[in-house]
Amino acid sequence: MAEDGNLHIGNSNYNREEEADPENNTMNQPLLKRHRTLSSTPLALVGTKVSHIESLDYEINENDLFKHDWRSRSKAQVFQYIFAKWTLACLVGLLTGLIATLINLAVENIAGYKLLAVGYYIAQDRYLTGLLIFTGANLGLTLVATVLVVVFAPTAAGPGIPEIKAYLNGVDTPNMFGATTMIVKIVGSIGAVAAGLDLGKEGPLVHIGSCIASLLGQGGPDNHRIKWRWLRYFNNDRDRRDLITCGSASGVCAAFRSPVGGVLFALEEVATWWRSALLWRTFFSTAVVVVVLRAFIEICNSGKCGLFGKGGLIMFDVSHVEVRKGKIHKVLLSLSVSLFTSVCLYGLPFLAECKPCNPSIDEACPTNGRSGNFKQFNCPNGYYNDLATLFLTTNDDAVRNVFSSNTPNEFGMVSLWIYFGLYCILGLITFGIATPSGLFLPIILMGSAYGRMLGTVMGSYTKIDQGLYAVLGAASLMAGSMRMTVSLCVIFLELTNNLLLLPITMFVLLIAKTVGDSFNLSIYEIILHLKGLPFLEANPEPWMRNLTVGELVDAKPPVITLRGVEKVTNIVDALRNTTHNAFPVLDGEDVDTGGGTELHGLILRAHLVKVLKKRWFLNEKRRTEEWEVREKFTPVELAEREDNFDDVAITSSEMQMYVDLHPLTNTTPYTVVQSMSVAKALVLFRSVGLRHLLVVPKIQASGMSPVIGILTRQDLRAYNILQAFPHLDKHKSGKLR
């Protein structure tokens, strides 16, 4: 991270030759030059450009102002704060449910009217006209989605779930939760899904729910925030994290109408840090989503949602059984994929044989209408095209058709092979284009296809319904690619409305996850690595137990420290010549020599910038009174980020003044002794959601500083450690050779 590698303030001249490198942008240089490879440049691919990545301050900053604020809060204020938390959780669920309903209805109606028009020309044997209508509509919808993403919100591309995982892990990805991103995500997902591309709306719904939560927590977009006093209590990283967790769970619930599955998804897949209070608020949010969806299902069942608009809100009920390119290149790539997809979806059904309708089935057969398992396409009356039934429909209806029970002869083996092979190819070329896209539904489509194929092969050996095989195939492919188990099991249980599937689904998921873990990482973790987001894994590498944090800080430059009452010029130098986001504050008679000093705490860069902007200076070196601090600062404004140092102008006379850092210093930072293993430090860092971890000596000798280094996210990543210690044999004992 940018806050790595702190140095102690000294009188040595600053080395201008290394000023261009933010990681080596230090205030002085030791006489013996070190091999500094522990810290890496904090860059990641965000949207369409490389951006600097910062960590988030999830730790409670227990300075004097924070302590006084909590002591002085009345019971009414505490109740107001708790009530506001639950109110925001309710609003997150309500708005996510409403937007999910809007997306479902829009996709169903747009895709439905498109398919009706195509079916009209097919019924008149005007196949070329039908192809032109089908392809033109899909190209237009794809063009709208792609242009919106490329021009207005590049961060809206993809599912957004990897970035949410990174955010809840403690990584701030810029512009991921803005109002523009959310709007483009909504409109773009409608266009992309309605265009028939091999992608779903589930991932975008998770991102949309997180955007809603973030905007509610901060009072709206950056340029138009609501300044209500009670709302400003949530303008901090910690409460914003909790709200975004509720938003991600609400998005999953809105996609699958699975409230418990949404909570477990947030717990298992995206959240790094969890507590019981957050569990209840997350469940409350998903419960609100379900209520909203149920209300609109009743409305749609009464025929008030247009000609179409019911499929996207109904469960798949089987209870009866990177390279970066220019904007033009991205648009052309998306249009090419859309053209290829449209031609395949329209042309391949001509390869399938017409199958006779089963007179014992109550459902209308054949049909070119809105939905149904028997699309006529090019077949004569009394016959249907099973491949057109899967291709020329919405993705939701396609899954429902494959999941259908008591239909052993509905789909031929050749059609299932074509269906499976095409969606495998489309999945490879579609995911990654500049449109909002979700992975859930494409994986369900592929998995259900090969599951039903297996059911067809096993038909003479077992009495298990083919629809059940399709469900298990979809579940196994999702578990094998995403490595979800508990949450996925509950999602499929709520999705299919069949409790009898629970034992066998659990068994299949465990096998799929075990096999997948033997080969590679999950698909979301792979995306995190490709984007360069510094995600901290839950389990440390085995060789980390043989490396101490003292050895890590030895590979870094010495730490910068500030005095409890510091000169303005030293603070300015620290901010101007480094990019560190926190500085240890020392107290004692002789801080420069390290004699008789103690660690008072840790002060954030944002607080130092705020001090300079407000010119909270002293003419003499002294401690301030409590009332002086409260007169100038409030705990709420200290929770806000403010690290723009460029527009701070300090006069030469102010440079010689002093600042009392004691009231703004976090007096209880997390510290570890230098003999602690890196593995143990990593578990602590990730579990508590830290941004900085101070390393203190095991024994403080005379003249020795009470802090010997600071560890940050970048320092604890396995890749960076191996770069700093190239002789570390991770394949054997893990010791230095």
Side-chain angles (χ1 to χ4, degrees):
M1 302 301 295
E3 62 263 30
D4 294 349
N6 292 325
L7 294 180
H8 180 75
I9 291 181
N11 296 322
S12 302
N13 292 328
Y14 174 64
N15 190 344
R16 297 292 178 182
E17 295 178 357
E18 296 190 0
E19 187 173 5
D21 185 359
E23 290 298 328
N24 291 323
N25 191 11
T26 57
M27 298 186 62
N28 60 10
Q29 297 293 326
L31 295 177
L32 297 177
K33 190 170 181 63
R34 298 169 179 240
H35 178 55
R36 299 176 186 169
T37 55
L38 180 58
S39 300
S40 63
T41 305
L43 299 176
L45 187 64
V46 180
T48 57
K49 59 184 179 181
V50 175
S51 302
H52 282 274
I53 299 296
E54 295 287 352
S55 292
L56 295 162
D57 294 305
Y58 288 154
E59 181 186 357
I60 296 177
N61 199 330
E62 291 187 342
N63 53 34
D64 292 347
L65 277 175
F66 173 84
K67 295 175 183 177
H68 177 269
D69 178 59
W70 274 104
R71 287 195 304 265
S72 60
R73 283 190 183 184
S74 63
K75 291 183 179 180
Q77 290 176 316
V78 173
F79 174 79
Q80 182 187 40
Y81 174 66
I82 297 175
F83 179 77
K85 280 186 175 182
W86 286 90
T87 301
L88 289 178
C90 177
L91 290 175
V92 168
L94 178 64
L95 294 177
T96 303
L98 291 174
I99 291 178
T101 302
L102 169 66
I103 293 175
N104 280 323
L105 296 182
V107 168
E108 290 289 313
N109 279 276
I110 293 173
Y113 280 108
K114 175 190 69 178
L115 294 173
L116 271 185
V118 173
Y120 172 78
Y121 289 105
I122 290 176
Q124 298 180 354
D125 295 335
R126 299 170 62 183
Y127 298 114
L128 181 59
T129 304
L131 174 62
L132 294 176
I133 296 288
F134 187 70
T135 303
N138 289 343
L139 285 175
L141 292 169
T142 304
L143 181 63
V144 172
T146 304
V147 170
L148 286 175
V149 169
V150 170
V151 176
F152 296 102
T155 51
I161 294 179
E163 290 82 359
I164 297 171
K165 283 172 63 74
Y167 184 90
L168 298 180
N169 190 256
V171 180
D172 185 18
T173 48
N175 304 319
M176 278 304 300
F177 304 109
T180 304
T181 300
M182 183 185 69
I183 295 173
V184 170
K185 200 84 173 185
I186 294 171
V187 180
S189 61
I190 292 173
V193 176
L197 296 175
D198 185 22
L199 44 83
K201 55 183 178 293
E202 296 75 22
L205 277 175
V206 177
H207 192 182
I208 290 168
S210 301
C211 289
I212 292 172
S214 176
L215 292 171
L216 286 175
Q218 68 183 19
D222 292 334
N223 299 330
H224 305 283
R225 289 189 181 182
I226 299 174
K227 299 298 183 179
W228 293 340
R229 178 175 177 81
W230 66 270
L231 194 58
R232 295 187 67 190
Y233 283 116
F234 298 92
N235 197 15
N236 60 81
D237 293 338
R238 187 181 180 88
D239 286 319
R240 193 178 178 210
R241 172 192 61 185
D242 291 351
L243 273 176
I244 288 178
T245 304
C246 294
S248 63
S250 299
V252 173
C253 177
F256 297 107
R257 230 180 80 199
S258 172
V260 180
V263 174
L264 292 177
F265 173 83
L267 173 60
E268 180 184 14
E269 185 64 19
V270 296
T272 298
W273 187 85
W274 199 266
R275 66 180 189 277
S276 58
L278 180 58
L279 174 68
W280 285 108
R281 284 203 302 276
T282 305
F283 185 70
F284 178 58
S285 295
T286 58
V288 174
V289 174
V290 171
V291 171
V292 173
L293 293 181
R294 170 56 65 182
F296 276 94
I297 287 175
E298 296 300 326
I299 295 174
C300 291
N301 284 335
S302 63
K304 298 179 180 178
C305 294
L307 181 60
F308 294 84
K310 203 166 59 170
L313 296 174
I314 297 179
M315 296 185 296
F316 307 127
D317 194 341
V318 293
S319 56
H320 301 292
V321 281
E322 172 150 46
V323 178
R324 292 178 294 122
K325 296 184 178 294
K327 295 181 178 180
I328 298 298
H329 293 85
K330 290 180 177 294
V331 174
L332 293 178
L333 176 61
S334 299
L335 294 179
S336 300
V337 171
S338 177
L339 179 62
F340 177 76
T341 302
S342 301
V343 171
C344 290
L345 294 182
Y346 189 89
L348 289 178
F350 287 99
L351 302 178
E353 295 183 357
C354 294
K355 300 173 70 71
C357 294
N358 188 344
S360 62
I361 297 179
D362 295 334
E363 185 178 352
C365 176
T367 178
N368 281 323
R370 43 174 293 181
S371 61
N373 285 21
F374 308 100
K375 293 287 186 181
Q376 184 173 4
F377 194 60
N378 62 331
C379 298
N381 293 331
Y383 290 80
Y384 71 96
N385 188 311
D386 59 347
L387 199 53
T389 300
L390 297 175
F391 282 161
L392 296 180
T393 186
T394 62
N395 287 340
D396 287 344
D397 278 337
V399 176
R400 188 178 296 103
N401 293 339
V402 182
F403 279 9
S404 60
S405 58
N406 301 319
T407 54
N409 301 315
E410 180 178 347
F411 303 102
M413 180 61 76
V414 175
S415 296
L416 290 175
W417 269 112
I418 295 175
Y419 179 78
F420 174 72
L422 176 63
Y423 272 98
C424 286
I425 296 173
L426 292 179
L428 293 175
I429 65 175
T430 303
F431 187 75
I433 64 175
T435 59
S437 58
L439 284 174
F440 283 86
L441 202 56
I443 292 176
I444 289 177
L445 291 172
M446 289 184 282
S448 62
Y450 80 68
R452 196 168 185 102
M453 285 190 292
L454 180 61
T456 302
V457 174
M458 299 294 294
S460 59
Y461 303 99
T462 180
K463 295 182 179 180
I464 300 178
D465 191 273
Q466 291 184 11
L468 174 59
Y469 275 104
V471 173
L472 296 178
S476 64
L477 189 57
M478 289 188 70
S481 58
M482 299 180 180
R483 311 297 153 77
M484 298 162 55
T485 53
V486 180
S487 59
L488 187 60
C489 184
V490 175
I491 287 174
F492 268 86
L493 178 64
E494 296 179 301
L495 188 69
T496 58
N497 196 26
N498 191 344
L499 188 61
L500 297 177
L501 293 179
L502 181 61
I504 190 171
T505 303
M506 294 171 63
F507 188 64
V508 167
L509 292 177
L510 289 175
I511 294 177
K513 184 183 186 302
T514 302
V515 174
D517 287 338
S518 303
F519 291 95
N520 54 22
L521 299 173
S522 72
I523 190 168
Y524 289 136
E525 290 174 321
I526 292 174
I527 295 173
L528 285 170
H529 286 292
L530 291 176
K531 287 181 172 289
L533 296 172
F535 185 83
L536 290 182
E537 302 294 341
N539 300 315
E541 299 288 342
W543 49 265
M544 289 183 177
R545 301 193 179 279
N546 299 305
L547 193 67
T548 66
V549 293
E551 292 175 287
L552 281 189
V553 296
D554 283 343
K556 300 180 61 175
V559 65
I560 289 181
T561 59
L562 299 174
R563 302 174 181 86
V565 180
E566 186 60 88
K567 259 192 174 184
V568 175
T569 182
N570 289 335
I571 296 176
V572 172
D573 287 341
L575 296 177
R576 179 177 295 158
N577 298 324
T578 70
T579 54
H580 313 326
N581 283 288
F583 304 89
V585 177
L586 305 184
D587 256 343
E589 296 297 329
D590 195 353
V591 175
D592 291 328
T593 62
T597 60
E598 66 175 18
L599 174 63
H600 182 72
L602 193 70
I603 190 165
L604 299 179
R605 180 187 189 91
H607 294 172
L608 292 176
V609 172
K610 195 171 290 291
V611 164
L612 297 181
K613 285 187 174 182
K614 290 200 170 188
R615 283 172 165 72
W616 193 56
F617 303 147
L618 303 172
N619 292 320
E620 56 184 5
K621 189 175 182 179
R622 67 174 179 86
R623 296 284 294 267
T624 55
E625 299 293 335
E626 188 174 317
W627 64 267
E628 294 180 272
V629 184
R630 297 200 306 269
E631 189 179 63
K632 201 73 174 181
F633 301 98
T634 64
V636 174
E637 69 176 341
L638 286 181
E640 299 175 356
R641 286 195 172 194
E642 186 171 359
D643 53 6
N644 186 11
F645 178 68
D646 297 334
D647 56 351
V648 179
I650 307 296
T651 64
S652 57
S653 60
E654 290 174 331
M655 285 287 193
Q656 303 307 314
M657 301 176 75
Y658 295 90
V659 175
D660 181 16
L661 301 180
H662 293 94
L664 306 180
T665 301
N666 179 11
T667 56
T668 57
Y670 282 87
T671 60
V672 295
V673 295
Q674 64 186 104
S675 58
M676 177 181 284
S677 69
V678 173
K680 192 173 183 179
L682 173 60
V683 172
L684 172 66
F685 194 98
R686 188 182 189 275
S687 301
V688 185
L690 300 180
R691 187 177 189 180
H692 307 95
L693 185 62
L694 296 181
V695 180
V696 299
K698 192 170 185 179
I699 300 177
Q700 185 179 351
S702 177
M704 185 178 183
S705 174
V707 57
I708 61 175
I710 294 182
L711 293 180
T712 61
R713 174 177 299 270
Q714 289 285 351
D715 300 329
L716 295 172
R717 295 183 69 201
Y719 174 81
N720 295 338
I721 295 176
L722 292 177
Q723 293 295 313
F725 299 94
H727 302 296
L728 188 64
D729 188 358
K730 65 175 181 176
H731 301 293
K732 295 182 181 179
S733 63
K735 295 182 179 180
L736 295 176
R737 295 181 296 181

